[in-house]
Amino acid sequence: MPALTLAYSNPYSTGYRPHLALHVTGPSASGPIVGLVDSGADRTCLPMGYATLIGYAADQLELHQGQGVGGSLSLWQAMTPATAVVAGLPHPEIELRPTFIEGGSTPLWGRADFFATFGVCFDERAQQFTISLP
């Protein structure tokens, strides 16, 4: 199984962490998004501003209650999936059903979609992570 090893990076000035750029295509728009590969995130979770960036209209999102680190929160679940590829790799295409959160600051790539597609290994001492391609 081919693998890609990447160094931790600091794109949001919050410290060096396992950030990864995905090119995300939504219902009517697409663009690159740098997010944190987060084993603690159940699914991909994006700050609300990304909904319009990738083409979701308000009527394409359903309001739900969820749990975050700080407790209960409101989130908007996409009713139709988006797709994504790791920047620089044409395949595999990942199906995302992102959630959007008001006030969120860092995009999170989560277990239900990103981790379901790739094997992920973190090497904290070396400040790098590896994604294994299917």
Side-chain angles (χ1 to χ4, degrees), residues 71-93:
S72 182
L73 55 92
S74 296
L75 52 87
W76 286 261
Q77 177 74 50
M79 293 186 290
T80 57
T83 58
V85 293
V86 174
L89 296 176
H91 298 296
E93 187 173 81

Side-chain angles (χ1 to χ4, degrees), residues 3 10 14 17 19 23-24 49 65 72 74 79 85 88 96 101 108 116-117 120 126:
N10 190 17
T14 57
R17 299 172 76 193
H19 290 97
H23 188 88
V24 180
Q65 290 301 305
S72 182
S74 296
M79 293 186 290
V85 293
L96 305 176
I101 297 178
L108 305 175
T117 303
V120 180

